[in-house]
Amino acid sequence: MSSAVSKLKQLKKRRVLVISAGGIQSGIQALYTGIKDDEWEVFSKAFFPYPQKVANLIEQLNETQDPIKLCDLGWLDYKITMLFLESAKAALAQVPKSIANPHYIVLNKPTLWKGATGENLQQSSWNLTIGDELYVAQSLKLPVITDFLRHNILAGGSGILPAFPGSLSIAKKTTGVNIFVNIGLVSRMTIINKNTSELIVESDTGPGTVIIDKSAKDANCPEGFDRDGKLTSQGAANAECLQILSQDPWLNKSAPKQASPEIFTHLLNHPCLKPLSSIDKLATITALTAKSIYDFYRREYKEAEAPQALWVSGGGVNNLALIDFLSASFGSIPVKSVEEIGVPSDMKIPLTLGLTVDAFVNGKKIPWESGEHPFMEPLGRWVIPNN
């Protein structure tokens, strides 16, 4: 194993295939990129949504933790593995044969469960994932690095994906201080000073699309979500209810903090929402995502220099009503899509992960909790195919 990884480190430019699991309502993302030091180029991308049975089983395990049959768990493991391979082959099929040979794969598997274990749920944390990385390595004849969340937990962390210095590599296409917000099911903010290479803030801020999508279903959106925010734009956010919802204790916790989507669903049952029409409720919930992002920024950003822009990525970038709410909140700070700096708006997390892992392969020190186990491989687990 050390020989294969050593060969990777000797390369001046590496082609990296990132395969990353999205949220329950998303799917498997594949991003193929070329990286040399801090320079990178996206070659191709592919996306495979979860089949309905896969999404249902993941939701059952991830949100409700209801028991499922062992045969269903085995089928789910198999199906996710096949989706890994399908997404990889789809991404590689889009590029010329001369570069359709990655040097290695970064694999972020779906997490079925993460939390505390032991007596009184206080002794330690662990996570359960799905998908067979060895089969991926053997099928594609490539080294695979995976299990990032678990290694972070074992090293003393809370179980997060490594994002730095990958996020800095992305920020180098900007100037000054910039805010990056990825709006998936949960919203996560990164603030970076490109001039000083300083990571100022890195934290979840609050709900992303998780409660927006649930409100859209309540409003009988034909597609089950509010495409482009069209329905939201027909409603009016209730200012009084919005202020009440924004006082939720988790939303007002100091950074850094980490959220799971289900911790925000109780907000949909707040009494202040009950008198509202379904469309006004949807508008209020959409406005809450924008307000929680802005309120977090106002509390946590203490620097004198004003940010140059707010760069938005994730599924939320397609909700034009949400973008309007953000623009109104941030005022003079322009709200832009990361597409403007060459980052596919739906692939910022896979790109950040890939850039971070490649910096690690290149010998750069990665800020990573060491806890009581500093001699562990600090980032993830390598799986090397048999010759």
Side-chain angles (χ1 to χ4, degrees):
M1 181 181 298
S2 59
S3 174
V5 176
S6 296
K7 290 180 181 179
L8 290 176
K9 293 181 178 181
Q10 294 170 9
L11 298 173
K12 292 184 178 180
K13 183 174 181 178
R14 288 171 288 271
R15 292 182 296 274
V16 183
L17 178 61
V18 183
I19 305 172
S20 182
I24 296 169
Q25 299 173 17
S26 182
I28 304 297
Q29 301 166 307
L31 180 81
Y32 189 33
T33 181
I35 307 172
K36 182 179 180 181
D37 296 324
D38 289 329
E39 300 295 323
W40 51 268
E41 176 187 3
V42 174
F43 296 142
S44 64
K45 63 174 184 173
F47 172 74
F48 280 74
Y50 293 129
Q52 192 59 54
K53 183 179 178 180
V54 170
N56 290 343
L57 287 173
I58 292 177
E59 182 174 17
Q60 185 177 347
L61 285 162
N62 200 310
E63 290 193 357
T64 67
Q65 296 183 22
D66 290 340
I68 67 171
K69 297 178 181 178
L70 286 177
C71 60
D72 284 338
L73 187 61
W75 178 87
L76 181 61
D77 188 61
Y78 166 79
K79 190 63 179 179
I80 289 293
T81 304
M82 294 303 105
L83 286 173
F84 290 160
L85 292 175
E86 288 181 48
S87 62
K89 292 174 182 177
L92 296 177
Q94 300 173 40
V95 301
K97 289 185 178 180
S98 59
I99 61 169
N101 49 340
H103 292 105
Y104 68 98
I105 295 172
V106 175
L107 179 61
N108 174 34
K109 298 186 293 183
T111 297
L112 299 181
W113 175 83
K114 184 180 73 173
T117 62
E119 294 181 9
N120 301 319
L121 301 180
Q122 293 179 348
Q123 292 182 350
S124 60
S125 293
W126 199 244
N127 76 324
L128 297 177
T129 58
I130 201 79
D132 192 330
E133 58 275 12
L134 179 59
Y135 189 83
V136 172
Q138 290 291 104
S139 298
L140 299 176
K141 301 300 180 185
L142 291 168
V144 172
I145 182 169
T146 189
D147 281 349
F148 305 105
L149 271 64
R150 180 165 296 180
H151 272 248
N152 182 247
I153 290 171
L154 288 171
S158 58
I160 58 173
L161 282 178
F164 199 82
S167 51
L168 177 59
S169 295
I170 292 174
K172 286 191 174 180
K173 295 198 174 185
T174 66
T175 58
V177 176
N178 283 266
I179 310 166
F180 293 86
V181 176
N182 191 81
I183 306 177
L185 294 178
V186 171
S187 296
R188 187 168 182 84
M189 181 179 291
T190 306
I191 305 179
I192 293 178
N193 188 328
K194 180 253 184 178
N195 296 337
T196 62
S197 299
E198 178 187 5
L199 176 64
I200 300 173
V201 173
E202 175 78 46
S203 175
D204 289 345
T205 65
T209 61
V210 58
I211 53 177
I212 295 176
D213 291 342
K214 290 182 182 295
S215 294
K217 289 181 180 179
D218 293 342
N220 296 317
C221 283
E223 297 177 275
F225 66 97
D226 188 14
R227 181 176 292 277
D228 300 328
K230 289 182 179 179
L231 191 59
T232 297
S233 64
Q234 300 173 27
N238 184 287
E240 181 179 356
C241 185
L242 180 60
Q243 182 61 31
I244 292 172
L245 295 175
S246 69
Q247 299 308 306
D248 180 78
W250 192 95
L251 296 180
N252 289 278
K253 286 174 61 177
S254 298
K257 53 187 179 180
Q258 188 178 2
S260 53
E262 66 273 8
I263 70 171
F264 301 115
T265 55
H266 73 279
L267 294 170
L268 296 172
N269 299 318
H270 197 283
C272 75
L273 290 168
K274 291 183 178 179
L276 306 183
S277 68
S278 59
I279 296 179
D280 288 348
K281 177 182 176 181
L282 176 60
T284 303
I285 289 300
T286 303
L288 176 64
T289 288
K291 179 173 173 55
S292 61
I293 291 170
Y294 179 70
D295 289 349
F296 177 89
Y297 159 73
R298 286 294 304 270
R299 286 195 311 270
E300 300 295 336
Y301 185 68
K302 310 294 184 183
E303 309 297 316
E305 183 178 354
Q308 298 295 307
L310 169 66
W311 300 94
V312 184
S313 60
V317 76
N318 299 312
N319 188 321
L320 302 184
L322 174 57
I323 298 302
D324 286 343
F325 281 130
L326 283 171
S327 297
S329 296
F330 280 86
S332 60
I333 301 174
V335 177
K336 302 180 180 182
S337 168
V338 293
E339 295 274 357
E340 294 187 36
I341 53 173
V343 180
S345 62
D346 56 342
M347 296 279 176
K348 181 178 180 291
I349 289 179
L351 178 59
T352 302
L353 176 61
L355 292 171
T356 299
V357 172
D358 198 70
F360 165 69
V361 172
N362 206 32
K364 291 187 179 179
K365 185 178 180 181
I366 307 297
W368 202 243
E369 292 92 342
S370 61
E372 298 176 355
H373 308 284
F375 301 109
M376 283 189 59
E377 181 73 16
L379 199 64
R381 178 170 63 88
W382 284 100
V383 178
I384 308 300
N386 297 325
N387 295 328

